Amino acid sequence: MPERRTRLAILGSTGSIGRGVLDVASRHRDRFEVVSLSAWTSTEALSRQVDEWGASKVAVAPGSASRLEVSDGVSVLDGPDALEELAADPTVDLVVNALVGVSGLKPTMAAVRAGKRIALANKESLVAAGGLVMGAAAEMGAAIIPVDSEHSSIWRCLRGTPRGEVESLVLTASGGPLRDLPAHKIATAPLADVLAHPNWDMGEKVTVDSASLANKAMEVIEARWLFDVPFDRIEVLVHRESVVHSLVRLVDGSLLAHMGEPDMRIPIQYAMFYPEVPAGAFAGCRLEEVGALHFEGVDAARYPCFNLILGAGREGGTAPAAAAAADEVAVRAFSDGAIGFGDIAAVIERTLGSMQRSAAADLESVLATDAEARERASGEVERLAAAR
Ligand code: MG
């Protein structure tokens, strides 16, 4: 047994992943303590978490500090660098980055530069700046452990598998909430249908991204950096049951698969305990109850965001950062009812088409691309909304 508990910083603690982290921690109170928590605007839920877990530091959106009800000893940060401060805190052992969107990038980089162990659920960090993040992690001795279920599964399959035996990585995709909709109805799918994910209970942004398969394209980019595997050796399969969370194809033609219930707490717990695997806790997967497993290729014609974002990833430089930013703006506009579901791809395509490309030389150039892409994407949203 370790002599002291793992000290956690949980960025984005009131979201779906953040709550999962606290659920796992509550099952192992002898192993984890919470140093810091953060939320953007859910100050009520955050106040309750701070109270329950005795966190000593907390970060909220600028101007939200006054809405937080916490005891006097808790230090409340609401400045522009608050999340980076929590991520680099020398008293923290494990930084959980469960932030949504490219806003997770700077805190990831702060944790990396501080040489932290990072449980990474914020895929945009690697989509926008994978080369920079992984390069800095290698230099600083920071460990990035994936929380995303697909990557967690691949990580597990690769444990003990010599790299020379790996032919390719195979990410599975549920196909999302719109998988059974006729192709001509996808562009006009209403928000309620888009949010009705058949297998996974996740936050709104990632659920919309699952419906468009933007999420899967981002996960391919994430895998490319996380496992240092070229795009040509990453496959995607649609697998309706979400029981096989991903696979590794070996050079002898065989496959390793990692299976389980679609319960995010399993990959979350794996990242929190890595390299240890604690027993019990979650329901075992009963394949006799699942019955059949189905697999098919991706019909990219149904999901234009998939090829757009993957194409940006393959292009490299600042293109994937621009694509991620445009997707974020478009998904927000769709969630707000300003544009249709089919317009998300249009916003990404037009934003990418209107931007100069450059090398992702440093964090500043990636963030400048992010800001420019947001501005251009917002302009596209306005045009599309006006034309409706
Ligand atoms: Mg995933």
Side-chain angles (χ1 to χ4, degrees):
M1 288 288 285
E3 51 221 38
R4 68 172 176 83
R5 294 182 292 171
T6 300
R7 297 169 58 91
L8 300 171
I10 308 172
L11 312 182
S13 61
T14 58
S16 156
I17 298 288
R19 295 195 309 272
V21 170
L22 289 173
D23 182 309
V24 170
S26 72
R27 294 156 188 268
H28 304 277
R29 286 186 188 262
D30 57 325
R31 298 294 303 277
F32 296 98
E33 66 177 285
V34 175
V35 174
S36 55
L37 296 165
S38 92
W40 191 239
T41 50
S42 304
T43 45
E44 239 184 86
L46 184 62
S47 300
R48 282 196 300 276
Q49 289 179 342
V50 171
D51 194 40
E52 181 186 348
W53 287 93
S56 56
K57 288 179 197 164
V58 55
V60 287
S64 300
S66 61
R67 293 199 284 126
L68 210 57
E69 287 175 34
V70 293
S71 56
D72 288 346
V74 178
S75 105
V76 179
L77 312 171
D78 70 348
D81 304 326
L83 294 172
E84 288 160 83
E85 199 174 324
L86 297 191
D89 183 341
T91 70
V92 163
D93 304 311
L94 177 66
V95 176
V96 179
N97 186 341
L99 299 166
V100 177
V102 183
S103 65
L105 173 57
K106 278 165 81 177
T108 293
M109 214 49 166
V112 164
R113 285 173 176 155
K116 296 292 182 194
R117 200 150 60 89
I118 304 155
L120 187 65
N122 176 257
K123 63 193 74 184
E124 290 86 350
S125 290
L126 293 179
V127 172
L132 293 171
V133 169
M134 296 310 287
E139 194 181 316
M140 299 305 299
I144 295 182
I145 307 158
V147 171
D148 216 341
S149 61
E150 295 79 358
H151 307 77
S152 179
S153 285
I154 290 173
W155 186 282
R156 293 176 85 139
C157 288
L158 291 176
R159 232 175 142 171
T161 304
R163 287 304 290 259
E165 293 180 14
V166 175
E167 176 71 31
S168 60
L169 310 180
V170 187
L171 299 176
T172 54
S174 67
L178 307 181
R179 64 192 184 190
D180 293 323
L181 208 61
H184 71 276
K185 290 191 172 168
I186 290 179
T188 53
L191 181 63
D193 292 0
V194 170
L195 292 183
H197 199 286
N199 303 356
W200 293 98
D201 179 15
M202 306 180 290
E204 185 160 320
K205 164 76 164 50
V206 66
T207 304
V208 176
D209 281 344
S210 292
S212 70
L213 255 63
N215 182 59
K216 205 52 55 179
M218 290 194 212
E219 288 182 353
V220 171
I221 302 171
E222 192 184 0
R224 182 260 170 272
W225 292 112
L226 209 43
F227 302 109
D228 193 22
V229 166
F231 284 108
D232 294 345
R233 290 170 55 202
I234 305 173
E235 308 168 47
V236 177
L237 276 181
V238 174
H239 164 49
R240 306 180 66 89
E241 290 81 11
S242 293
V243 166
V244 177
H245 297 314
S246 274
L247 310 94
V248 171
R249 187 184 297 283
L250 302 174
V251 289
D252 65 358
S254 63
L255 289 159
L256 295 175
H258 179 251
M259 304 190 220
E261 290 291 314
D263 182 341
M264 277 310 294
R265 292 173 304 178
I266 296 173
I268 287 170
Q269 176 175 276
Y270 190 75
M272 288 170 70
F273 274 89
Y274 184 82
E276 186 189 339
V277 180
F282 303 115
C285 180
R286 310 299 314 180
L287 288 176
E288 65 272 35
E289 285 165 23
V290 177
L293 300 174
H294 297 84
F295 300 91
E296 58 191 297
V298 175
D299 180 357
R302 287 172 60 91
Y303 305 106
C305 290
F306 180 75
N307 278 344
L308 279 170
I309 294 175
L310 194 52
R314 283 176 175 275
E315 189 186 322
T318 54
D327 177 63
E328 219 173 301
V329 169
V331 168
R332 167 58 55 84
F334 169 64
S335 294
D336 292 346
I339 61 172
F341 184 72
D343 293 331
I344 296 173
V347 171
I348 298 171
E349 186 168 24
R350 293 179 195 179
T351 302
L352 282 171
S354 72
M355 286 184 64
Q356 299 282 337
R357 303 296 203 271
S358 67
D362 48 32
L363 194 60
E364 289 64 39
S365 58
V366 171
L367 294 172
T369 296
D370 176 70
E372 186 190 343
R374 272 167 210 280
E375 206 178 302
R376 288 175 184 265
S378 301
E380 296 301 342
V381 163
E382 273 174 40
R383 271 187 284 282
L384 286 160
R388 285 185 104 199

